[in-house]
Amino acid sequence: LKAAGGFTQLAYVRGARLIRRMTEEEKLQRDNSLKQEQIRLYEESMKKEVTSSFEEMDTLLSMKLNLDDTYPVALNLEAALKNPGSLEDIVLREGDVLTIPQYSNTVKISGEVVHPISMNYVKGKSLSYYISHAGGYGNKARKGNVYAVYANGGVEKIRKRSSKAIQPGCEIVVPTKPEKAGMTTSEIMAITSGSASLASVIV
């Protein structure tokens, strides 16, 4: 940072973000994780006869082909500046890119809300304040799993009445409830067969 001449007046130090390039070992770990997930989904689909699992596998494969060889590293630059040489003062690697964004006084609300928007940050306001300005929760919202994505790449779950987790430049994400899986063909046949047997016993 000293070599870059320090910060400008518009710098948002809290939002500093570090992008790091993967090593060959990290790439191998990522590929192995994807392969294991593909195998797991394939085995599930064979047992349950659910075609959606095959679609999920295709999605995973597509993701693998489009994956970048970089990843974000969450950091606390404010703490690093106060304590040079501490654990917060991350040692850089070749190819690292440190970005200091311009201060943004907005908060983005996305996901399962009626009207996703970006609005001004108001200090001290809780989650319900921002959700109400986005039209409220959607029908499929997982209200207990709302989280914030910060400018520095960090992620934190937001409690209903908490305001500390909401910061300028962050994004409030309301996830969607998972869809309930329908009964498989074998399960329907088992229930039908069981019902028929019970009817025979009654007769």
Side-chain angles (χ1 to χ4, degrees):
L1 287 167
K2 290 178 181 177
F7 303 111
T8 68
Q9 293 181 347
L10 299 176
Y12 183 41
V13 181
R14 183 177 290 183
R17 191 182 185 102
L18 179 64
I19 300 297
R20 174 161 289 176
R21 190 168 297 280
M22 285 184 174
T23 62
E24 290 303 317
E25 184 179 352
E26 288 170 337
K27 291 179 187 176
L28 183 61
Q29 289 176 348
R30 177 198 64 189
D31 292 345
N32 285 338
S33 295
L34 279 170
K35 286 177 183 177
Q36 289 174 3
E37 183 64 14
Q38 284 176 316
I39 292 171
R40 186 187 68 79
L41 288 172
Y42 178 76
E43 289 176 342
E44 277 189 4
S45 64
M46 293 298 291
K47 289 177 182 177
K48 298 182 178 180
E49 302 174 11
V50 181
T51 56
S52 61
S53 294
F54 288 102
E55 293 172 1
E56 289 175 10
M57 281 197 301
D58 290 339
T59 302
L60 275 173
L61 183 60
S62 177
M63 286 170 61
K64 181 179 177 181
L65 295 173
N66 294 307
L67 278 176
D68 195 3
D69 290 337
T70 61
Y71 60 94
V73 178
L75 75 160
N76 188 337
L77 189 55
E78 289 179 317
L81 293 171
K82 291 178 181 177
N83 301 290
S86 65
L87 292 175
E88 298 290 352
D89 192 5
I90 297 174
V91 177
L92 300 183
R93 296 196 319 209
E94 182 181 359
D96 283 355
V97 178
L98 179 63
T99 304
I100 314 295
Q102 183 176 327
Y103 179 77
S104 172
N105 192 42
T106 60
V107 172
K108 184 178 180 182
I109 303 97
S110 63
E112 195 61 37
V113 289
V114 175
H115 183 62
I117 59 167
S118 290
M119 56 181 290
N120 286 335
Y121 167 77
V122 182
K123 187 176 181 180
K125 292 296 184 181
S126 64
L127 175 63
S128 58
Y129 172 81
Y130 294 95
I131 295 297
S132 64
H133 279 74
Y137 289 107
N139 294 329
K140 298 181 180 179
R142 295 185 68 180
K143 300 177 183 179
N145 294 82
V146 180
Y147 60 92
V149 180
Y150 302 112
N152 69 350
V155 178
E156 183 179 347
K157 186 176 179 179
I158 307 176
R159 298 185 181 278
K160 189 174 182 180
R161 300 182 183 279
S162 174
S163 61
K164 293 181 180 179
I166 302 172
Q167 300 175 4
C170 79
E171 178 180 359
I172 297 172
V173 181
V174 181
T176 306
K177 291 179 181 177
E179 293 185 6
K180 294 182 179 179
M183 288 190 295
T184 62
T185 305
S186 56
E187 288 173 337
I188 294 172
M189 290 178 66
I191 291 173
T192 305
S193 177
S195 300
S197 299
L198 180 61
S200 300
V201 171
I202 293 171
V203 170

